[in-house]
Amino acid sequence: MATLMFRRLSRPVKKAATFSRTVDCYKKEVPGKDHKGKICSPDEGVTLNKVVDSEKIFRLLNYHILYNPSAYTRNRRVASLRVCTDDEECEDSAGSVHSSLGTKQAQNTYSITCSRRLSSSRNTLLDLVFNKADERQVHSLQSEKLKNVNGNEKKANDTEVSDAKEDARAFQKLRTDYKLFCYNANVLELLSAEECIQILHKVTVLKSKLTPEMIAEYFKTLGCLPPEQHVAVKSDTRFAMLCRYSVENLSAFHSSQLIDILKAFVYLKFPPSHSLLNVYEVEFSRRVWDMDLNQLLLIADLWRFLGRSVPQYLEILFSFASLHWKNLSLPQLVQLIYIIGEARKAPPDLMQKIESLVLKYIDEMNLEEVGAVCLGFFKSKSRFSEYLMRKIGEKVALRMVEISNFALVNVLKMFRFTHVDHLQFLNSLGQVAAHRIPSMGTQGIMHIALACAALHFLDEKILDAIAAELPSKAPHCRSKDAAKFMWSFASLNYEPPNSLEVYEALTAQLRLKLHEFEKFPEHLLTGLLALAFAGHFPHDLIDFALSPTFVKLATEVTAFELKKDLLTLDASVGIECLPYKGNRISPLLRREVTDMMCAWASTDLYVRLEVAEALSSLQTILGGPHYVKQHMILPHTRSCDLEVHLQMSGKSVPFNQEGTAGLLPKHNIKGSGVLVTDELMVQLLKGKSGKSSWKVNEKNSSSELVYPHTVVTETTTGKSSHGGSCHSELSDGVMVTDDLLQNLVKSKNSAEIPFTRTPKSGVQKLAVQVTNRNHYCYGSHRLLGLHSMKQRQLCKLGYVVVEIPFWEWFPLLKRSRSEKLAYLHQKVFG
């Protein structure tokens, strides 16, 4: 605190301000010349903001000011006073440009009868005297150029070069047309400190006589200041006056002048929350329909550089673009998509129109523009059509060596988002990506790994190259990056040569970033589920993830649906991690999510034709619906299987009570005369040769089954040449019809007693899994991580997994029913 007293020598103290703390003071004389409107400089410790009328107040001659310099240290604060910050400059802060950015003294902002309004008639801020103050300011501005010259270098050295962010605006450098509506951060000629002081002096001299043209020109000139002087100038009261005059003349500016002023705000790095920007945002929104598209795109780009969200302006801009979309040139289109991506949203009807333009210009775009277009659509969560995605894939695949890392990652993001598989693009990616990964940043590598996982594309060269870099790049990983790296490897069910080192490095990052999971709980569950796929169970992280506090956070606070992930993690721990004694989710939550999953599996939306056909055929083979049950054996794995129980002798056991009610006939089932054994079925299917007839035709792309001694005489109408319904003719002349085969198969089980409980110890449980292409890596027979974990856990629970792979079962869906029955019979009993 400071004690400030004005005292006249021949009279008592006329006015004194008393503070709660008295300190030792000493005196300093104020010169008696030209006292009207005289303002003491900051180093003299006092500032007067009130106009002093010499005719109404006593003379200031021989006055003494008692002051204490210690009152100006930053650790002393006066609650009623406001100090200028970089977030929003004070309009009422008096004084000149600070003597030094690094000084420990803060400007004294209190004054006697101070006015907070900037007015040419009521505030002496417009009558600032420069003289010696100007000389001191020039010296200050020049000295600031030499301060902290190594600051940026030190900051740059803290981060590896390979981990630096890519330039998202690289596409703007490849066409000169972008200069018309894109912000250019390069200043051709920097403004000197003397010129800056002259401009600020003119503001105080001209005051309300400043014209809109002059104000715009002053802002444009001040925008050329060196970066190290920005803070000092923004703290100057005269600059605040210039801002105030710009607001007063806002409606008088031409649109080009307003844009120049907004550019100056960008050059001077105005904080996005500054109240002055509110006024300009409203004015620009009001003028949208009076400007052309180039100006509108430039303004949107400037707002983006300021880091300010302007939803009102962008909404009107998008409406303007929606009306004039047919007139967009290629550079305007790409820049508009870039702005949309930075805004993270746009009207769906506009995005449809823009997509048609992208398809029109796709052949003319360079690869960087293709990457920018993909990134804009990806950020705005707008999808490309499959046709356009394949066009992009073809264009990039042919010139993938030329595309930058940043653009390549953006294209991969869009492939991941649309789930379009493009074999030519993926093959080219495998040839190029592995060599680029060592020179890429952590996040770029993460997106490559994640795209491979999302597309189920397993390329060992790419994954091995990523794994080789991860131990050294793990410290640069965010919690999100570490979790998604683990997810990518585990979901593809691939373990690189250094898998143990990779998982240890990434798991260590999860431990270091536990505090981040309070805001992003989904990342921790993603990482732990990936570790579970790979068979790793870190007890400490699992205990944290299943704790009541984290479970509450994951189920109530976050916007993501994480209950299923919690169930998958908890159930996997219960099956595979028996020594674990930590936290588990509550039985109530476990039952809630299980019921939800089972209810979803019973809906019509979940019905898969290949599974329904397999279920019907197994019911025929085994003797009825009470011998087979379609349900989620492991609900936490989120997929259904067909469960079958067999005695050790090979006979099926009825166990499905739900399938029994109302389906079994009331009378006893009697044999139809012939007891069909496995040997008889094999003989019927083999014919006279007695050799194995089941094999896959490797030459046929559809993987059709080949029967060496069977002549198939089906026609396109499903009738054979002999007039039966859908049959195969054995080499010995015996016609095997559907009805005959069904009766023969049924007769085997008809001798059994319907639905009799068999001791569990004598029952072998089968989990029949009818798979499809989404269960495997692209173009291979390698199961994905989730389904591999499911089979592993079924085996731990005592099930025998019988896999019905799609490359064998799907071709049979177009064949006769007798062939389906014979195939499933061999799978179950073979």
Side-chain angles (χ1 to χ4, degrees), residues 166 168 342 344 371-379 381-384 389 392 405-420 425 429 443-452 454-455 478 480 484:
E166 300 282 352
E342 297 302 313
R344 297 300 195 273
V373 167
C374 289
L375 182 61
F377 269 73
F378 176 80
K379 286 185 174 181
K381 299 181 180 179
S382 304
R383 295 180 181 272
F384 284 144
M389 208 60 237
I392 292 175
N405 293 339
F406 184 72
L408 177 61
V409 168
N410 294 336
V411 174
L412 279 171
K413 288 179 180 179
M414 206 58 196
F415 270 108
R416 186 184 91 211
F417 186 61
T418 56
H419 290 283
V420 174
F425 174 83
L429 179 68
Q443 294 183 27
I445 299 175
M446 181 271 291
H447 282 296
I448 290 181
L450 191 60
C452 291
L455 296 174
R478 304 166 296 177
K480 173 183 179 180
K484 291 189 175 181

Side-chain angles (χ1 to χ4, degrees), residues 740-801:
L740 173 62
L741 192 54
Q742 290 182 26
N743 289 331
L744 289 174
V745 173
K746 284 183 179 179
S747 64
K748 175 181 177 181
N749 289 315
S750 62
E752 302 173 4
I753 301 175
F755 203 75
T756 57
R757 289 288 182 183
T758 307
K760 292 294 183 182
S761 59
V763 172
Q764 186 180 52
K765 294 184 292 184
L766 274 61
V768 181
Q769 295 183 345
V770 183
T771 63
N772 57 44
R773 289 179 176 84
N774 292 329
H775 293 174
Y776 301 88
C777 294
Y778 184 83
S780 74
H781 297 168
R782 180 195 291 267
L783 279 171
L784 296 174
L786 174 62
H787 304 286
S788 177
M789 182 188 73
K790 176 183 176 180
Q791 290 192 1
R792 187 175 69 237
Q793 293 179 0
L794 285 171
C795 293
K796 286 182 176 292
L797 294 177
Y799 282 86
V800 175
V801 178

Side-chain angles (χ1 to χ4, degrees), residues 116 153 183 225 368 377 424 444 479 506 522 607 642 741 763 796 825:
R116 290 183 176 271
E153 295 177 1
Y183 168 71
L225 276 172
E368 299 305 311
F377 269 73
Q424 181 185 5
S479 59
L506 296 176
E522 64 275 9
V607 174
L642 305 177
L741 192 54
V763 172
K796 286 182 176 292
H825 185 277

Side-chain angles (χ1 to χ4, degrees), residues 3-270:
T3 302
L4 178 63
M5 301 178 65
F6 285 83
R7 181 169 64 86
R8 190 175 184 181
L9 294 177
S10 59
R11 297 184 184 181
V13 176
K14 203 70 174 176
K15 187 171 185 180
T18 306
F19 296 84
S20 59
R21 181 178 177 182
T22 58
V23 293
D24 295 334
C25 303
Y26 59 94
K27 62 183 179 179
K28 187 178 185 72
E29 288 193 4
V30 178
K33 296 181 180 180
D34 191 19
H35 297 291
K36 184 176 180 180
K38 179 70 176 178
I39 305 298
C40 298
S41 60
D43 59 344
E44 293 174 339
V46 68
T47 303
L48 295 178
N49 291 347
K50 184 70 176 177
V51 175
V52 183
D53 189 350
S54 60
E55 297 179 358
K56 296 183 180 180
I57 65 174
F58 50 85
R59 292 179 175 272
L60 297 176
L61 291 175
N62 297 325
Y63 262 69
H64 293 269
I65 300 175
L66 304 180
Y67 72 106
N68 175 25
S70 65
Y72 299 94
T73 57
R74 286 187 174 179
N75 57 352
R76 307 287 183 138
R77 301 186 61 185
V78 180
S80 61
L81 306 178
R82 186 162 69 104
V83 180
C84 292
T85 64
D86 208 20
D87 292 335
E88 181 169 348
E89 286 72 20
C90 303
E91 289 183 338
D92 61 332
S93 60
S96 312
V97 179
H98 292 301
S99 61
S100 174
L101 297 179
T103 182
K104 293 185 178 180
Q105 288 190 346
Q107 186 175 352
N108 183 12
T109 58
Y110 70 86
S111 61
I112 299 175
T113 61
C114 174
S115 171
R116 290 183 176 271
R117 296 183 180 179
L118 284 173
S119 173
S120 59
S121 62
R122 297 185 57 191
N123 203 306
T124 56
L125 293 176
L126 304 184
D127 298 324
L128 293 175
V129 179
F130 296 91
N131 299 334
K132 296 181 179 180
D134 289 348
E135 297 176 3
R136 182 177 60 255
Q137 292 162 9
V138 170
H139 176 72
S140 170
L141 293 173
Q142 291 175 342
S143 63
E144 285 171 355
K145 297 180 181 179
L146 303 177
K147 297 190 64 176
N148 300 325
V149 293
N150 296 325
N152 293 333
E153 295 177 1
K154 182 178 180 181
K155 184 176 181 181
N157 291 334
D158 291 340
T159 305
E160 292 183 1
V161 176
S162 61
D163 197 47
K165 289 186 176 181
E166 300 282 352
D167 183 10
R169 302 167 62 88
F171 69 93
Q172 298 174 355
K173 302 175 183 178
L174 302 180
R175 293 182 191 268
T176 57
D177 294 343
Y178 286 109
K179 295 180 180 180
L180 299 175
F181 42 79
C182 295
Y183 168 71
N184 182 12
N186 298 324
V187 179
L188 297 179
E189 185 177 355
L190 293 178
L191 184 69
S192 66
E194 292 82 358
E195 293 173 320
C196 173
I197 296 302
Q198 291 176 4
I199 292 175
L200 295 179
H201 177 66
K202 290 178 182 178
V203 173
T204 59
V205 173
L206 295 174
K207 297 184 286 189
S208 59
K209 296 180 181 180
L210 288 169
T211 64
E213 291 77 11
M214 297 171 63
I215 296 173
E217 183 63 26
Y218 288 168
F219 271 111
K220 185 177 180 180
T221 306
L222 290 174
C224 298
L225 276 172
E228 60 270 14
Q229 300 177 11
H230 289 174
V231 175
V233 170
K234 288 186 292 183
S235 302
D236 192 291
T237 307
R238 293 164 294 181
F239 183 78
M241 292 164 50
L242 182 62
C243 293
R244 175 61 182 268
Y245 287 134
S246 74
V247 173
E248 291 179 355
N249 292 273
L250 197 60
S251 59
F253 287 114
H254 297 301
S255 296
S256 58
Q257 294 170 342
L258 280 178
I259 293 175
D260 287 338
I261 295 176
L262 189 61
K263 284 182 180 179
F265 294 161
V266 177
Y267 282 122
L268 295 173
K269 294 180 173 57
F270 263 55

Side-chain angles (χ1 to χ4, degrees), residues 501-639:
E501 184 182 5
V502 167
Y503 282 121
E504 286 180 351
L506 296 176
T507 304
Q509 289 303 307
L510 295 184
R511 292 189 175 97
L512 290 175
K513 295 176 170 59
L514 280 180
H515 61 281
E516 296 183 16
F517 300 129
E518 295 180 0
K519 188 176 181 180
F520 305 105
E522 64 275 9
H523 298 330
L524 177 60
L525 292 179
T526 297
L528 291 179
L529 286 179
L531 290 172
F533 293 171
H536 302 291
F537 296 90
H539 289 198
D540 57 333
L541 293 177
I542 293 172
D543 184 61
F544 177 81
L546 299 182
S547 63
T549 302
F550 187 86
V551 170
K552 182 178 180 181
L553 177 68
T555 56
E556 298 179 7
V557 178
T558 182
F560 293 90
E561 176 55 63
L562 300 179
K563 292 182 179 180
K564 298 176 183 177
D565 294 341
L566 287 170
L567 176 66
T568 301
L569 178 62
D570 179 79
S572 298
V573 168
I575 295 173
E576 298 195 67
C577 194
L578 298 180
Y580 174 77
K581 302 299 181 183
N583 288 312
R584 300 288 298 274
I585 64 174
S586 64
L588 181 63
L589 178 60
R590 187 181 299 113
R591 173 51 54 190
E592 174 191 348
V593 183
T594 300
D595 292 343
M596 178 177 63
M597 296 295 297
C598 293
W600 170 73
S602 62
T603 60
D604 294 338
L605 296 176
Y606 185 77
V607 174
R608 291 163 43 199
L609 296 179
E610 65 272 15
V611 178
E613 184 66 26
L615 175 63
S616 174
S617 300
L618 284 175
Q619 289 175 350
T620 301
I621 293 173
L622 300 175
H626 47 287
Y627 290 96
V628 59
K629 182 179 182 179
Q630 179 185 5
H631 69 119
M632 286 185 169
I633 301 176
L634 300 178
H636 66 278
T637 58
R638 313 176 193 186
S639 58

